[in-house]
Structure formats: C-alpha cells, structure tokens
Amino acid sequence: MTTESIIACAGLRFAYGTAEVIHGIDLTVGRGDLFALLGTNGAGKTTALELLLGERRAGGGTIRVLGRDPWLARRAVAGEVGVVPQEGGCAPDLTVRETVRLWLRLRGRRDVAGPAAALIDELRLTDRATRRVRQLSGGERRRLDLAVALCGDPPLLILDEPTSGLDPQSRLHTWQVLRERSRRGTTILFSTHYLEEAEELADRVAIMDAGRLALCATVDEVRRSGSLTEVFHRIAGTEVTL
C-alpha cells in the first residue's frame, strides 16, 4: 500500500430531488488498499459506489477515480475498474465459460481460452463451466460476478456486497482471492453487511451513517476502542445480526 490516491472524494454530496442522501463525504482510498465500506440499509453505501462509478452525477464536491472525474470520463474509468454490482447482470442464456470469455474480449484480450479457464478455476466454478447462468445457484452467480470483475486484471475493484448469498466455505475462499489480488497491487473497495468480514479482510474501514462518513480508520485503529462490531453499534445505534 502507498499514499497514492486511487479514489479521492472531497465534500461529496448527492440528492434525490430535494432529499439529500450523501452529505459532504471526504474519502481517500490509496493504491493497494483493501477498504471496507460499512453501514446499515439506507446509510448511502450503494449510492456512494454509484457516484464513484459515474452512474450518478454528484450534486456537489469532487470525485476522482484513477485521476479522473468518473461522470465526465465514465468510459475511460469503466475500462480500468472491475465491478460487482449489488444485483448481478450476466446474460442468463450464456454458459459460465462463454460469459468469462466474452468479458475478457470486452477487456481487450484476444487469447481468451487460457485466461478464462484460469479465472473459472480461481473462483471454483470449473465444474459449472458449461452450465448456463440461469442454471446456477445464487452463490455460484455471485462467484461468476467476481470472475467477470477480475477479467483483464483491472487496477481497481469496486464490489457491492460481493459475498452476499455465499455459504461460509465460499465466503472464506472469496476472501483468499481478494487478499491475493490485493497483495498483487489491486486496490479494492467493497461494501458489506458482514462486520466480521470487514474486520478479517480489510486494511481500512469507513462507516456510513445516514449519508455521512462517521468513521474512517485502519482496522487496528478501530480495535483500540473495541471490536469493529462494538464501534459500529455505537455509531449506527442499532443491533447488527452477524
């Protein structure tokens, strides 16, 4: 991890009509960070990620992703960011293999057979390679979403609840995949409802509460004042089911 900023937000604001839902966020994610974004439902996590991806236009403040404004340079930013959205969108009639090969081609790869096989194996989908997406379980689709995000080895991953719906074994394996990518220099920003996931996986965490950034710190800094679960509970003021 270095001090170079891959994501930088200053005074970020966004409103749906007259209802402001993001209130002046300042956030920096450095190169190589494994960064967790936490918050209860409605805290603003998904909206914040959509702003970073250029899917929504900020109502105030500034955003830079890989040095660019994601709204003004959405196509350029999209070419360098691997995304797992909250709801996956892989074509249901393609097979797993066809899906990964297609995305590798879209990322500019010509020789796709070997890289596709490697990604499918990395996400433990080899025995599902010839199955159509619509035939996969929810957890298998989520692993395919991550395989698609990893196509082309993007320098930045933005993942919205990437382990939602996974069984415990698959979740642990996904953590291993993300840790390895981080060790290789990929910057990863992910949202999650699982506090133990953030505490075990992330280097740094941010907690959103009602559209505001209530805390941004390293996991070690958070632990000095209690477990992440305790700190989250104090900020959010609600019980969290792990």
Side-chain angles (χ1 to χ4, degrees), residues 14 16 46-59 63 69-71 74:
F14 180 79
Y16 292 104
T46 295
T47 300
L49 297 184
E50 290 171 346
L51 289 165
L52 294 176
L53 292 168
E55 295 175 2
R56 300 187 184 276
R57 186 174 190 173
I63 315 175
D69 182 320
W71 176 260
R74 185 176 178 185

Side-chain angles (χ1 to χ4, degrees), residues 15-32:
Y16 292 104
T18 59
E20 190 171 70
V21 295
I22 302 292
H23 309 286
I25 286 177
D26 297 326
L27 177 68
T28 301
V29 180
R31 182 177 296 278

Side-chain angles (χ1 to χ4, degrees), residues 110-129:
R110 293 185 178 181
D111 178 18
V112 298
L119 277 172
I120 290 168
D121 182 64
E122 185 177 7
L123 273 299
R124 294 184 175 176
L125 288 167
T126 301
D127 62 345
R128 299 292 189 267

Side-chain angles (χ1 to χ4, degrees), residues 73-95:
R74 185 176 178 185
R75 180 172 293 182
V77 170
E80 298 185 71
V81 181
V83 180
V84 170
Q86 194 171 59
E87 298 292 336
C90 294
D93 290 327
L94 294 181
T95 67

